[in-house]
Amino acid sequence: MKNKKIWLDGFREIKHTLGRFLALLLIIALGTGFFVGIRVAAPDMIAIADKYFNQTNLEDMSIQSTMGLNEDDLALLEDVQDIEYIPYAYVDRQIAVSDDLVRFYPNFNDMTDINQFDVQEGRLPKANDEIAIDLQLVKGNPDAYQIGQEVTMTDLGVDSDQETDELPQLSGDQFTIVGYVNTPLQISNISRGASAIGDGQLNGFAVVAPNAITGDTYTNIAIDATAVDDLEAYSDEYDQVIADKQAEIEDIFVDRPREIYQEKVTEAESEIASGQEEIASARSALTSGENELKQAQSEIDAGQDDLDQQQSLVEAQLPEGVSLEQAGMSSVAAQLEAGQSSLDAAQSELNQARSDYESESQAAETSLSSAESHISDAESTVADLSEPTYSINDRSSVSGYTAWENNADNMATIGQAFPIIFFLIAAL
């Protein structure tokens, strides 16, 4: 009986305050809907990201070095279990039509199953003069990036003094656009990453054929840890397996910086020593040439002295005012004249040789001074040389990877705080 009265009082109260009751009911319904939506947003964001990373096989780790990477670095990874890896080089250049600073990646889809590009329109490049453009760049400047259009690079990012057979660079400066793509290496649409050229901020990326990037040095080694294939990205289990594998690789590379430093110093010192030997040899040749000219002049002068002495002795035997011809000594006169002609010809040849030597020695001195300057610069470079830094990175180095996790965590935090906000609103 008592419960029935409570119910009747309750219905009577709702009837007299129907508007307030409906308002509270609506608030509860809306709040519940928002709460459920926010609570599931964080795990959904993680699940969506994990699915995308699996589809594109985003690298789990990567290796970089401030002096680049080579085959010796790859050899260190051969004994590491449960990983697959691919070395590659990228190049940062500026597109002339838009001034966009772009990172050029090789077409991974033709090289490996790691870091697969997601084609949104068109196709990936096949020829060395073809290019696929970051879809975000296209959205920001569609007129500059039409499929079939040619784009040209500026000189920004080109070092004319670099050794072209070692450092990565593009094989050409003009490309035809053949498609629009996305990449898991640049997740964030706000920041595309940092660059060592221009203003230091990338605007996007581009894809070229693998052979369109030349050079013997790699910029990165992308690593796929097969032990985490069944683990969800961002999970504690995934992070732990990657951390363990990261520590293992760091131990393997711990002595590598010192080895590279010693190799660079030894190579540079050898080149300096060789250059110094060549300079010393060239200076010795100049000195030898000068000595030969002096010796030849001494021989001509000695010959002239001998000829003058012979002529003086002959003429001393003749009466005063009588020539050799008048004295019937025409053959002697002819011999003396022939000797003088021979000495005059030798002197003329020597004068020409001296003139040629002075011209060549002047040019040689200019070259030697330049060579000595290069050696001095090389010695300064060796003195300033330091050990390279090796970075064994996890996915946190990928642009936007950590930001996505932070956004998911923020949604989870809001979901936890929302009930408190809801009850405060309801109390009002």
Side-chain angles (χ1 to χ4, degrees), residues 370-386:
S370 176
E372 288 173 337
S373 177
H374 284 307
I375 287 178
S376 178
D377 292 341
E379 289 174 335
S380 298
T381 300
V382 171
D384 295 338
L385 199 62
S386 59

Side-chain angles (χ1 to χ4, degrees), residues 11 50 55 153 189 291 311 337 343:
F11 284 122
D50 183 64
Q55 288 174 343
M153 305 301 112
N189 293 332
N291 291 336
Q311 185 172 353
E337 288 179 2
L343 288 172

Side-chain angles (χ1 to χ4, degrees), residues 260-336:
I260 290 291
Y261 172 77
Q262 292 292 354
E263 289 174 6
K264 295 293 184 182
V265 170
T266 300
E267 180 182 351
E269 290 178 342
S270 176
E271 291 178 357
I272 289 172
S274 177
Q276 290 173 333
E277 289 178 2
E278 291 178 1
I279 290 174
S281 177
R283 290 204 178 280
S284 177
L286 289 174
T287 301
S288 177
E290 178 67 25
N291 291 336
E292 289 177 1
L293 291 173
K294 289 180 179 179
Q295 179 64 29
Q297 185 64 61
S298 297
E299 292 176 357
I300 291 174
D301 291 343
Q304 185 67 56
D305 291 342
D306 289 342
L307 184 63
D308 291 344
Q309 185 177 7
Q310 292 176 13
Q311 185 172 353
S312 296
L313 290 174
V314 173
E315 290 177 346
Q317 299 175 11
L318 298 175
E320 186 176 354
V322 178
S323 66
L324 292 174
E325 289 81 1
Q326 293 172 343
M329 302 177 68
S330 298
S331 61
V332 175
Q335 289 177 1
L336 291 174

